[in-house]
Amino acid sequence: AARSNNAKKHQPMCMTTSTAAIDTRGGESESGGTATIPNEVFNLVKSIVGGAVLTLPAGIAAFGNAPSAMIPAAALIALMGIISAFTFAWIGRVCAATDSQSYSEAWDKTVGKNSSWVIALSCVADCFIGNLSYSMILSDTFVALLASIGFAVTRTQSLMGVTGLVLLPLCLMKNLSSLAPFSLVGIMGTLYTMVAMAIRYFGKDYAAGGKFVGSIAATPTFGTSGASAVMSAKALILTCMLSNAYIAHFNAPKFYCELKNNTLPRFNQVVGWSFGISIALYSVISAMGFLTFGAVSNGLILNNYSTKDLLMSFSRIAVTISIIFSYPLIFVGTRDSLLDLFKVPNKDRSVSVLNKYTFGILAVVTALASKLTDLGLVASVGGATFGTALVFIYPAIMLRRNLTNQG
């Protein structure tokens, strides 16, 4: 979701002229694009909320196994969301001050071009981890979906099938504009999943004596490690996951430039509403998953639900469709950022070169996804490294340098 927008290399230009200049102090301005605040909020929520939300119950289970562990977990979800919102807004502020239209341009104008490789490397790594996570989700989801209709396949067979028959053809496409309408499925699938999980939790269908308890691999388990367990070092696993959960920051300049009358107060309204809604969605889905399964919450929470549960099977289908059509958008970010890192000129990026990179990257992603089974681990490692840099470190550096340059 977030990374799918990060993958769009060409950002729209801010419409700034001598008569329509950006007012960085927040005054009236006629600059910007045509998007209204509600449009921007919908698109930004769609960018933020992605597959990462399905890993968060496992992050809570990493340090707690009692229902009260959800209390500090909800606080962490909110805190990380608020901090992420501030850094997202900082990027918009830097773009307003420097008239930048992309994350990398904002970096070049504030920090300098000599270190531009840092941004390229971070983007390669973040998008690559996004593709790896999505491949892992797809392999597990197809196993469960096929099992629900009576077909037993291994995880590797599932992964090879979906990669060869679906992902490779999509990643070889040169024009991805036709995939844009499917992005709506992402947020709709998330909302459906949230409602379905709530129905199963409040209906106690997975509690002792519930109708699906006998058809799941791991019986819900709860212990005595509650709210105080957040003081354990294991709580950092959830924190690392959350470092990457709200990532949409590479696209902050795009949202700033496309906002109609893009004053900073209006942009901050977009940021506040979008991250507030995202925090609410993450909190509810995390709570429904953890409070249903407790200590056995899987790195992909949908894996906990029975393959005989039709309600959750529809959720798997919605998530699968969303990920399949988001996958090539993220993949373009991985491939193009790698080409940038290797300094391959645009004129040399022929169809043949692009195809070679596509086959190579997809082969590596697929090989790793076939061996790695803990999605929570991948999400936490990604968040602890490049997610943290893109969301928290780089925006702070750019803002500080910008303020220093302004004297």
Side-chain angles (χ1 to χ4, degrees), residues 92-109:
R93 180 177 173 182
V94 170
C95 288
T98 61
D99 195 20
S100 299
Q101 288 84 44
S102 70
Y103 195 108
S104 57
E105 184 182 0
W107 179 271
D108 289 346
K109 288 185 176 181

PDB file of all heavy atoms in Angstrom, residues 92-109:
ATOM      1  N   GLY A  92       6.604  17.862   4.049  1.00  0.00           N
ATOM      2  CA  GLY A  92       5.834  18.871   3.342  1.00  0.00           C
ATOM      3  C   GLY A  92       6.359  20.266   3.598  1.00  0.00           C
ATOM      4  O   GLY A  92       6.430  21.100   2.688  1.00  0.00           O
ATOM      5  N   ARG A  93       6.754  20.524   4.827  1.00  0.00           N
ATOM      6  CA  ARG A  93       7.306  21.836   5.184  1.00  0.00           C
ATOM      7  C   ARG A  93       8.603  22.103   4.437  1.00  0.00           C
ATOM      8  O   ARG A  93       8.835  23.220   3.935  1.00  0.00           O
ATOM      9  CB  ARG A  93       7.542  21.877   6.694  1.00  0.00           C
ATOM     10  CG  ARG A  93       8.108  23.182   7.213  1.00  0.00           C
ATOM     11  CD  ARG A  93       8.242  23.135   8.725  1.00  0.00           C
ATOM     12  NE  ARG A  93       8.927  24.309   9.250  1.00  0.00           N
ATOM     13  CZ  ARG A  93       9.208  24.494  10.526  1.00  0.00           C
ATOM     14  NH1 ARG A  93       8.841  23.587  11.427  1.00  0.00           N
ATOM     15  NH2 ARG A  93       9.836  25.591  10.930  1.00  0.00           N
ATOM     16  N   VAL A  94       9.457  21.094   4.337  1.00  0.00           N
ATOM     17  CA  VAL A  94      10.720  21.235   3.603  1.00  0.00           C
ATOM     18  C   VAL A  94      10.453  21.473   2.114  1.00  0.00           C
ATOM     19  O   VAL A  94      11.094  22.318   1.481  1.00  0.00           O
ATOM     20  CB  VAL A  94      11.609  19.997   3.805  1.00  0.00           C
ATOM     21  CG1 VAL A  94      12.812  20.034   2.855  1.00  0.00           C
ATOM     22  CG2 VAL A  94      12.079  19.905   5.250  1.00  0.00           C
ATOM     23  N   CYS A  95       9.494  20.739   1.552  1.00  0.00           N
ATOM     24  CA  CYS A  95       9.154  20.909   0.143  1.00  0.00           C
ATOM     25  C   CYS A  95       8.617  22.307  -0.128  1.00  0.00           C
ATOM     26  O   CYS A  95       8.909  22.908  -1.169  1.00  0.00           O
ATOM     27  CB  CYS A  95       8.124  19.864  -0.279  1.00  0.00           C
ATOM     28  SG  CYS A  95       8.776  18.186  -0.407  1.00  0.00           S
ATOM     29  N   ALA A  96       7.826  22.846   0.808  1.00  0.00           N
ATOM     30  CA  ALA A  96       7.310  24.201   0.652  1.00  0.00           C
ATOM     31  C   ALA A  96       8.430  25.230   0.661  1.00  0.00           C
ATOM     32  O   ALA A  96       8.425  26.186  -0.118  1.00  0.00           O
ATOM     33  CB  ALA A  96       6.316  24.492   1.776  1.00  0.00           C
ATOM     34  N   ALA A  97       9.403  25.022   1.524  1.00  0.00           N
ATOM     35  CA  ALA A  97      10.503  25.983   1.656  1.00  0.00           C
ATOM     36  C   ALA A  97      11.494  25.905   0.507  1.00  0.00           C
ATOM     37  O   ALA A  97      12.102  26.911   0.141  1.00  0.00           O
ATOM     38  CB  ALA A  97      11.225  25.750   2.981  1.00  0.00           C
ATOM     39  N   THR A  98      11.668  24.720  -0.068  1.00  0.00           N
ATOM     40  CA  THR A  98      12.691  24.520  -1.104  1.00  0.00           C
ATOM     41  C   THR A  98      12.109  24.336  -2.499  1.00  0.00           C
ATOM     42  O   THR A  98      12.855  24.171  -3.463  1.00  0.00           O
ATOM     43  CB  THR A  98      13.557  23.291  -0.772  1.00  0.00           C
ATOM     44  OG1 THR A  98      12.718  22.123  -0.723  1.00  0.00           O
ATOM     45  CG2 THR A  98      14.259  23.472   0.561  1.00  0.00           C
ATOM     46  N   ASP A  99      10.756  24.371  -2.601  1.00  0.00           N
ATOM     47  CA  ASP A  99      10.070  24.138  -3.879  1.00  0.00           C
ATOM     48  C   ASP A  99      10.513  22.804  -4.490  1.00  0.00           C
ATOM     49  O   ASP A  99      10.863  22.724  -5.662  1.00  0.00           O
ATOM     50  CB  ASP A  99      10.332  25.294  -4.857  1.00  0.00           C
ATOM     51  CG  ASP A  99       9.353  25.266  -6.033  1.00  0.00           C
ATOM     52  OD1 ASP A  99       8.288  24.635  -5.892  1.00  0.00           O
ATOM     53  OD2 ASP A  99       9.673  25.860  -7.083  1.00  0.00           O
ATOM     54  N   SER A 100      10.481  21.761  -3.673  1.00  0.00           N
ATOM     55  CA  SER A 100      10.873  20.431  -4.133  1.00  0.00           C
ATOM     56  C   SER A 100       9.638  19.614  -4.484  1.00  0.00           C
ATOM     57  O   SER A 100       8.577  19.777  -3.866  1.00  0.00           O
ATOM     58  CB  SER A 100      11.682  19.706  -3.044  1.00  0.00           C
ATOM     59  OG  SER A 100      12.860  20.407  -2.740  1.00  0.00           O
ATOM     60  N   GLN A 101       9.777  18.729  -5.455  1.00  0.00           N
ATOM     61  CA  GLN A 101       8.660  17.909  -5.899  1.00  0.00           C
ATOM     62  C   GLN A 101       8.831  16.418  -5.594  1.00  0.00           C
ATOM     63  O   GLN A 101       7.983  15.610  -5.948  1.00  0.00           O
ATOM     64  CB  GLN A 101       8.438  18.078  -7.409  1.00  0.00           C
ATOM     65  CG  GLN A 101       7.850  19.420  -7.813  1.00  0.00           C
ATOM     66  CD  GLN A 101       8.912  20.493  -7.953  1.00  0.00           C
ATOM     67  OE1 GLN A 101       9.966  20.259  -8.528  1.00  0.00           O
ATOM     68  NE2 GLN A 101       8.634  21.659  -7.401  1.00  0.00           N
ATOM     69  N   SER A 102       9.923  16.051  -4.965  1.00  0.00           N
ATOM     70  CA  SER A 102      10.140  14.648  -4.615  1.00  0.00           C
ATOM     71  C   SER A 102      10.996  14.558  -3.355  1.00  0.00           C
ATOM     72  O   SER A 102      11.658  15.526  -2.967  1.00  0.00           O
ATOM     73  CB  SER A 102      10.829  13.892  -5.760  1.00  0.00           C
ATOM     74  OG  SER A 102      12.172  14.311  -5.905  1.00  0.00           O
ATOM     75  N   TYR A 103      10.964  13.406  -2.739  1.00  0.00           N
ATOM     76  CA  TYR A 103      11.743  13.155  -1.524  1.00  0.00           C
ATOM     77  C   TYR A 103      13.230  13.346  -1.806  1.00  0.00           C
ATOM     78  O   TYR A 103      13.948  14.005  -1.047  1.00  0.00           O
ATOM     79  CB  TYR A 103      11.452  11.731  -1.063  1.00  0.00           C
ATOM     80  CG  TYR A 103      11.881  11.383   0.352  1.00  0.00           C
ATOM     81  CD1 TYR A 103      10.937  11.200   1.360  1.00  0.00           C
ATOM     82  CD2 TYR A 103      13.224  11.182   0.678  1.00  0.00           C
ATOM     83  CE1 TYR A 103      11.313  10.843   2.651  1.00  0.00           C
ATOM     84  CE2 TYR A 103      13.618  10.830   1.957  1.00  0.00           C
ATOM     85  CZ  TYR A 103      12.655  10.659   2.938  1.00  0.00           C
ATOM     86  OH  TYR A 103      13.047  10.311   4.211  1.00  0.00           O
ATOM     87  N   SER A 104      13.679  12.756  -2.917  1.00  0.00           N
ATOM     88  CA  SER A 104      15.108  12.836  -3.248  1.00  0.00           C
ATOM     89  C   SER A 104      15.526  14.265  -3.577  1.00  0.00           C
ATOM     90  O   SER A 104      16.636  14.685  -3.234  1.00  0.00           O
ATOM     91  CB  SER A 104      15.433  11.899  -4.423  1.00  0.00           C
ATOM     92  OG  SER A 104      14.630  12.216  -5.544  1.00  0.00           O
ATOM     93  N   GLU A 105      14.642  15.030  -4.239  1.00  0.00           N
ATOM     94  CA  GLU A 105      14.970  16.427  -4.542  1.00  0.00           C
ATOM     95  C   GLU A 105      15.054  17.247  -3.262  1.00  0.00           C
ATOM     96  O   GLU A 105      15.946  18.104  -3.122  1.00  0.00           O
ATOM     97  CB  GLU A 105      13.929  17.026  -5.483  1.00  0.00           C
ATOM     98  CG  GLU A 105      14.272  18.455  -5.909  1.00  0.00           C
ATOM     99  CD  GLU A 105      13.225  19.074  -6.815  1.00  0.00           C
ATOM    100  OE1 GLU A 105      12.227  18.387  -7.121  1.00  0.00           O
ATOM    101  OE2 GLU A 105      13.403  20.248  -7.195  1.00  0.00           O
ATOM    102  N   ALA A 106      14.148  16.987  -2.326  1.00  0.00           N
ATOM    103  CA  ALA A 106      14.195  17.690  -1.044  1.00  0.00           C
ATOM    104  C   ALA A 106      15.498  17.384  -0.319  1.00  0.00           C
ATOM    105  O   ALA A 106      16.105  18.271   0.303  1.00  0.00           O
ATOM    106  CB  ALA A 106      12.999  17.293  -0.183  1.00  0.00           C
ATOM    107  N   TRP A 107      15.939  16.138  -0.388  1.00  0.00           N
ATOM    108  CA  TRP A 107      17.217  15.755   0.226  1.00  0.00           C
ATOM    109  C   TRP A 107      18.382  16.475  -0.452  1.00  0.00           C
ATOM    110  O   TRP A 107      19.268  17.018   0.222  1.00  0.00           O
ATOM    111  CB  TRP A 107      17.406  14.244   0.137  1.00  0.00           C
ATOM    112  CG  TRP A 107      18.701  13.754   0.714  1.00  0.00           C
ATOM    113  CD1 TRP A 107      19.894  13.612   0.064  1.00  0.00           C
ATOM    114  CD2 TRP A 107      18.950  13.354   2.072  1.00  0.00           C
ATOM    115  NE1 TRP A 107      20.863  13.143   0.905  1.00  0.00           N
ATOM    116  CE2 TRP A 107      20.311  12.976   2.144  1.00  0.00           C
ATOM    117  CE3 TRP A 107      18.154  13.267   3.214  1.00  0.00           C
ATOM    118  CZ2 TRP A 107      20.884  12.528   3.334  1.00  0.00           C
ATOM    119  CZ3 TRP A 107      18.725  12.825   4.391  1.00  0.00           C
ATOM    120  CH2 TRP A 107      20.078  12.463   4.440  1.00  0.00           C
ATOM    121  N   ASP A 108      18.379  16.481  -1.785  1.00  0.00           N
ATOM    122  CA  ASP A 108      19.474  17.114  -2.529  1.00  0.00           C
ATOM    123  C   ASP A 108      19.570  18.607  -2.219  1.00  0.00           C
ATOM    124  O   ASP A 108      20.669  19.162  -2.097  1.00  0.00           O
ATOM    125  CB  ASP A 108      19.272  16.922  -4.037  1.00  0.00           C
ATOM    126  CG  ASP A 108      19.500  15.478  -4.482  1.00  0.00           C
ATOM    127  OD1 ASP A 108      20.069  14.701  -3.693  1.00  0.00           O
ATOM    128  OD2 ASP A 108      19.102  15.141  -5.612  1.00  0.00           O
ATOM    129  N   LYS A 109      18.421  19.268  -2.074  1.00  0.00           N
ATOM    130  CA  LYS A 109      18.416  20.714  -1.855  1.00  0.00           C
ATOM    131  C   LYS A 109      18.739  21.108  -0.421  1.00  0.00           C
ATOM    132  O   LYS A 109      19.142  22.255  -0.169  1.00  0.00           O
ATOM    133  CB  LYS A 109      17.050  21.301  -2.249  1.00  0.00           C
ATOM    134  CG  LYS A 109      16.828  21.332  -3.758  1.00  0.00           C
ATOM    135  CD  LYS A 109      15.515  22.029  -4.100  1.00  0.00           C
ATOM    136  CE  LYS A 109      15.342  22.153  -5.598  1.00  0.00           C
ATOM    137  NZ  LYS A 109      14.078  22.847  -5.960  1.00  0.00           N
TER     138      LYS A 109
END
